[in-house]
Amino acid sequence: GATAPSAAELEQLASKIKLLKAKHVAIGFLHSKRHPEHERQAAAYFRDQGLAAFASHESSTAEHGAERWWDAILSAHAA
């Protein structure tokens, strides 16, 4: 089944994002329609790290994952 990322995984990703000097992050997890809490957890973590986070389940009502992910990416890019 789908599992949420661990705190260590989120910390590692946040470190890499900060090294790239990115200020926005798009989050799109497989099965996010069924388990939006995983994206919520990641978005909250990144926001606590000072990043603008755009989760696919927040950015779109599209049924298919790829469409939701593109909506999150475009939202992050436009911010």
Side-chain angles (χ1 to χ4, degrees), residues 2 6 8 11-12 15 19 23 27-28 35-36 41 46-48 55-58 60 63 65-67 71 75:
S6 69
E11 185 177 328
Q12 183 180 26
S15 294
L19 281 174
K23 304 221 183 314
I27 302 166
H35 301 286
Q41 175 190 1
F46 290 132
R47 290 173 183 143
D48 287 346
S56 72
H57 77 279
E58 297 172 342
S60 177
E63 286 297 315
E67 292 174 34
D71 287 344
S75 294

Side-chain angles (χ1 to χ4, degrees), residues 17-51:
I17 292 166
K18 288 178 181 181
L19 281 174
L20 295 170
K21 298 185 178 169
K23 304 221 183 314
H24 305 114
V25 60
I27 302 166
F29 292 160
L30 198 57
H31 306 298
S32 62
K33 187 84 169 166
R34 239 180 298 160
H35 301 286
E37 66 274 10
H38 297 167
E39 285 189 352
R40 273 196 289 277
Q41 175 190 1
Y45 180 86
F46 290 132
R47 290 173 183 143
D48 287 346
Q49 298 297 309
L51 297 164

